[in-house]
Amino acid sequence: MSEATTSTTDVHIPSAASVPAHRDPNVLRWVGAYTASMVGDMVFFLALSWAAVQNGTPAQAGLVTAVSAVPRALLMLGGGVVADRLGPRRVVIGSDTVRCVTVLAVAAVLFATDPGLWLLALLAVVFGTVDAVFMPAVGALPARITHKDQLARVQGMRGLAIRFAAVVGAPLGGLGVAVGGAAAAFAFAGLLIAVSVPLLISVRMRDLPADDASAARETTAWRDLVGGLRYVRRHRVLGPLMVTIALGDLGFVGPLNVGLTLLADERGWGASGMGWVLAGFGTGAGVAALLLTVRGRLPRAGCVAAGSIIPGAAAIAVLAHAPGLPVAVGTAVLVGLLTGLSGAMCGALLQTQSDPAYLGRVTAVGGIVSLGIAPLSMPLSAAAIGVWGTGPVFAVSAAVCGLGGVVALCAPGVRRAELPK
């Protein structure tokens, strides 16, 4: 059964005139919970990497840290079905509870003994499995806690939370490791995730609109899955938007991850120089998220999303030819601003164009694109740079990313898409 049939167990908020999301206590509680959970994630992955390195070879450590991606990618579509059938609120609360208990249990075991890599690998698999239902539910929840005209602003707030977690999480994880080793860092991650649970419980839900609620019917999980994929494929905005996101991520992930490392090594910038370039990217993306948070709505959203992808892609190509570190940092700020703006607008359009009853499955499809397809570009980028160098590979990656913008501009539904007023 769908979420609409189970929502009577939740506490609802009235469908009155919408309050700006950044002033809505209900939304702020959700943002607080999401931020605590994301910071906990950052601390967790740092602790996992450190513990794996301490207990095995570099290759084994890499395998442990990567193994969580397998269940996440394989089960994400099913997680979207679960989020839509059971309701995103209860799925998010349940997921965070399981993650909290699991991480704290592993911390307790590490305090008591040294079980080796098998426990860390098991923890990574559990975390990835829970993420497969957590991520679609997180994407489906905003439509149930605020009104449609505030979803773009919520997307900006979510982007700020992600940037905050990226900046704060790693130092906190390093502090935990320095104070008490991996066990203390895991305990810290579990406590941060635990903070999100009571906040999530306090978040109130609103009823689905009548036209969305009418979609509720008794179906099997398989029919829900197929129906969600068909809904995305046939939608005049969501279908081409998924192609745009896939091409953008394929062209972006390789150069800004492994490619940037190789570029910094080639130019002699070192790890600190690479850190400055990454900081520039994060700054630009944070400014884009802040812009959407403050404005709440940008006109001609589809054109803005597509139009910012193309110059952002060009900036990726330019990054490989930056004559020095200051120019590279400035270019990275521009890349972050433009790709952050396009990403935020694409996310806002996914939120506002989707029927809330399908949002879990829509988010799952987007997650598969970003977490299942895009990472494939990293080893390909590394191998290609080894053969042809950074300049040609960054140029090809930029062309792939820019093609996403072309697809969006050529799709009438995306080109004419607007955010609700």
Side-chain angles (χ1 to χ4, degrees):
M1 63 186 163
S2 74
E3 176 186 352
T5 62
T6 62
S7 61
T8 54
T9 61
D10 294 326
V11 179
H12 302 294
I13 61 176
S15 57
S18 59
V19 177
H22 61 292
R23 299 176 184 173
D24 186 346
N26 198 50
V27 174
L28 292 176
R29 286 194 295 271
W30 176 79
V31 172
Y34 182 72
T35 303
S37 184
M38 290 299 98
V39 174
D41 275 4
M42 293 296 296
V43 175
F44 164 79
F45 282 111
L46 188 143
L48 181 67
S49 300
W50 179 264
V53 167
Q54 296 299 306
N55 285 274
T57 66
Q60 291 172 328
L63 183 62
V64 167
T65 55
V67 73
S68 64
V70 177
R72 187 186 298 121
L74 293 178
L75 302 177
M76 184 78 75
L77 288 176
V81 173
V82 171
D84 285 334
R85 289 173 71 88
L86 300 182
R89 178 175 178 266
R90 66 181 65 183
V91 172
V92 171
I93 292 172
S95 300
D96 262 356
T97 301
V98 171
R99 298 195 314 163
C100 171
V101 171
T102 304
V103 174
L104 290 177
V106 170
V109 171
L110 290 177
F111 272 121
T113 184
D114 184 10
L117 285 174
W118 70 267
L119 179 64
L120 300 177
L122 178 61
L123 174 61
V125 170
V126 171
F127 224 77
T129 302
V130 176
D131 272 354
V133 294
F134 173 78
M135 291 179 176
V138 165
L141 196 56
R144 301 300 306 273
I145 62 175
T146 189
H147 294 268
K148 211 164 191 178
D149 63 333
Q150 295 299 314
L151 288 176
R153 181 171 273 128
V154 171
Q155 191 70 19
M157 297 169 72
R158 182 180 175 186
L160 289 175
I162 292 172
R163 297 300 157 199
F164 176 82
V167 171
V168 173
L172 287 178
L175 178 62
V177 169
V179 171
F186 277 129
F188 192 24
L191 292 175
L192 283 168
I193 297 173
V195 170
S196 70
V197 176
L199 286 172
L200 288 168
I201 292 173
S202 69
V203 172
R204 297 173 296 158
M205 306 289 285
R206 75 180 184 91
D207 292 311
L208 287 173
D211 57 341
D212 299 326
S214 65
R217 61 184 182 276
E218 295 289 338
T219 61
T220 64
W222 176 252
R223 287 182 179 177
D224 281 352
L225 175 59
V226 173
L229 294 174
R230 186 182 298 117
Y231 173 77
V232 171
R233 180 174 59 85
R234 293 179 177 177
H235 199 286
R236 58 192 300 268
V237 176
L238 300 180
L241 197 60
M242 289 297 182
V243 177
T244 296
I245 293 171
L247 290 171
D249 283 347
L250 277 171
F252 178 79
V253 170
L256 267 297
N257 285 276
V258 62
L260 182 59
T261 303
L262 296 174
L263 179 64
D265 181 64
E266 177 186 292
R267 296 299 182 83
W269 297 339
S272 62
M274 185 181 70
W276 278 108
V277 175
L278 287 174
F281 163 72
T283 300
V287 170
L290 182 61
L291 172 65
L292 196 55
T293 300
V294 173
R295 289 292 302 272
R297 180 183 184 274
L298 296 178
R300 301 182 63 82
C303 285
V304 171
S308 54
I309 290 174
I310 295 173
I316 290 175
V318 170
L319 184 62
H321 301 282
L325 183 58
V327 176
V329 173
T331 305
V333 171
L334 184 61
V335 172
L337 178 63
L338 293 170
T339 58
L341 181 60
S342 64
M345 297 305 291
C346 286
L349 286 172
L350 288 181
Q351 287 281 321
T352 56
Q353 294 289 327
S354 299
D355 182 327
Y358 286 92
L359 257 176
R361 283 162 285 180
V362 171
T363 304
V365 173
I368 287 291
V369 166
S370 297
L371 299 173
I373 298 177
L376 297 176
S377 66
M378 288 192 285
L380 293 176
S381 295
I385 288 173
V387 176
W388 292 294
T390 54
V393 174
F394 271 58
V396 171
S397 297
V400 173
C401 188
L403 183 59
V406 173
V407 169
L409 287 175
C410 292
V414 177
R415 192 173 62 248
R416 299 168 185 165
E418 294 278 7
L419 297 176
K421 294 183 179 180

